[in-house]
């Protein structure tokens, strides 16, 4: 299961919280850190790409700035796919949760992302895509979040489960609004109409229509990586996506 989402959406914290919860529930799970730029992690990865490539080493050795080193480090992940797969296979876990690089575009929108998912994914592979609920509080940002989720799905073409993370930071009303938007695009259109005018409104409505026409199911599961709320429902969705249960 590959955890993917925009920078700061909570990939690393959710990897940590979900894995701890799975272990407590008796699931035989391990974590893989695929972020070569991670400095401190809230979990101890069982397999860590930083044993092979580190952003800070590339900055020093190749005289690169942080962005250049991060791009190079992410592209270099594919050189170590065999080693990482070997480490995972040596443990033979039932489930592997893979935390991906902080900057989503360097993984999902470059060749390395689909390559790693192909190389590391087994016959049951899913993407856990994270929406940042705080970011998607207004309808325009919500549209952008859905658009990014659709773009990621288009890159990987594996079952994708959507988590609406950080719900502990939303009021009940704010949460209900986002859930209504996910269930009923007409309400999203109405709220877009109320908050946007002119080109912005037309473009957002067209984006939503294009995304809906792809037939991708976006019913995000509300969760909090901080409080562990919603993990039961999230795991049920993941099991369905992975084909573990019907
Ligand atoms: P990543 O860049 O997607 O891996 O995001 P991180 O896991 O590093 O999280 C970014 C920030 O958001 C950190 O300060 C986390 O503590 C915080 N964060 C992540 N998930 C939650 C959540 O569910 N609730 C709250 N309140 N904060 C969160």
């Amino acid at each position: 299961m590959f955890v993917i989402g925009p920078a700061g959406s909570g990939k690393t914290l959710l990897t940590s919280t979900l894995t701890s919860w799975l272990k407590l529930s008796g699931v035989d799970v391990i974590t893989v850190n695929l972020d070569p730029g991670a400095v401190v992690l809230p979990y101890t990865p069982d397999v860590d790409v930083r044993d092979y490539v580190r952003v800070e080493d590339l900055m020093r050795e190749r005289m690169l700035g942080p962005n250049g080193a991060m791009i190079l480090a992410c592209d270099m992940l594919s050189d170590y796919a065999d080693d990482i797969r070997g480490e995972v296979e040596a443990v033979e876990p039932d489930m592997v949760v893979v935390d991906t690089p902080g900057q989503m575009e360097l993984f999902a929108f470059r060749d390395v992302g689909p390559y790693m998912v192909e190389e590391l994914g087994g016959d049951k592979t899913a993407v856990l895509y994270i929406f940042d609920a705080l970011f998607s509080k207004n309808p325009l940002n919500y549209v952008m979040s859905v658009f990014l989720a659709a773009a990621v799905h288009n890159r990987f073409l594996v079952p994708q489960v959507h988590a609406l993370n950080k719900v502990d930071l939303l009021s009940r009303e704010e949460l209900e609004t986002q859930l209504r938007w996910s269930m009923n695009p007409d309400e999203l259109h109405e709220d877009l109409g109320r908050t946007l005018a002119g080109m912005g409104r037309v473009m957002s409505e067209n984006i939503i229509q294009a995304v809906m026409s792809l037939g991708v199911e976006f019913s995000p599961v509300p969760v909090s990586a901080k409080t562990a709320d919603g993990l039961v429902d999230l795991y049920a969705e993941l099991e369905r996506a992975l084909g573990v249960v019907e």
Side-chain angles (χ1 to χ4, degrees), residues 6-13 102 165-166 168-169 224-226:
S9 57
K11 296 180 288 295
T12 296
L13 191 58
N165 188 36
K166 304 190 186 177
D168 59 291
L169 298 176
S224 167
K226 187 173 178 189

Side-chain angles (χ1 to χ4, degrees), residues 72-235:
L72 179 61
C74 285
D75 284 348
M76 285 171 71
L77 293 179
S78 47
D79 297 343
Y80 304 109
D82 278 349
D83 299 288
I84 294 167
R85 196 182 49 229
E87 283 196 57
V88 170
E89 282 173 357
V91 187
E92 288 187 2
D94 286 342
M95 184 177 258
V96 185
V97 179
V98 184
D99 185 12
T100 62
Q103 286 152 283
M104 173 173 83
E105 70 274 24
L106 300 185
F107 184 76
F109 300 145
R110 295 172 73 88
D111 291 344
V112 64
Y115 180 81
M116 294 303 278
V117 170
E118 178 75 31
E119 288 298 304
L120 299 182
D123 53 348
K124 292 191 170 109
T125 301
V127 163
L128 170 55
Y129 185 87
I130 306 185
F131 282 71
D132 185 330
L134 203 56
F135 172 76
S136 38
K137 259 192 331 189
N138 78 56
L140 179 59
N141 286 3
Y142 184 86
V143 170
M144 292 306 147
S145 297
V146 172
F147 182 64
L148 278 176
V152 165
H153 187 251
N154 181 255
R155 290 289 286 172
F156 294 101
L157 296 174
V158 298
Q160 186 161 306
V161 169
H162 302 95
L164 186 65
N165 188 36
K166 304 190 186 177
V167 294
D168 59 291
L169 298 176
L170 298 187
S171 67
R172 177 187 281 269
E173 194 190 345
E174 287 168 336
L175 173 59
E176 280 170 1
T177 300
Q178 291 192 44
L179 294 178
R180 273 194 293 107
W181 289 339
S182 73
M183 283 181 293
N184 188 350
D186 290 340
E187 296 209 21
L188 180 57
H189 279 291
E190 275 172 30
D191 288 348
L192 276 172
R194 266 196 282 276
T195 51
L196 288 176
M199 271 308 278
R201 176 175 166 183
V202 174
M203 284 181 72
S204 302
E205 289 184 343
N206 286 345
I207 288 173
I208 278 292
Q209 257 161 19
V211 169
M212 294 304 161
S213 71
L214 297 174
V216 183
E217 181 67 38
F218 288 108
S219 24
V221 182
V223 300
S224 167
K226 187 173 178 189
T227 63
D229 274 338
L231 297 187
V232 175
D233 292 339
L234 182 63
Y235 186 51

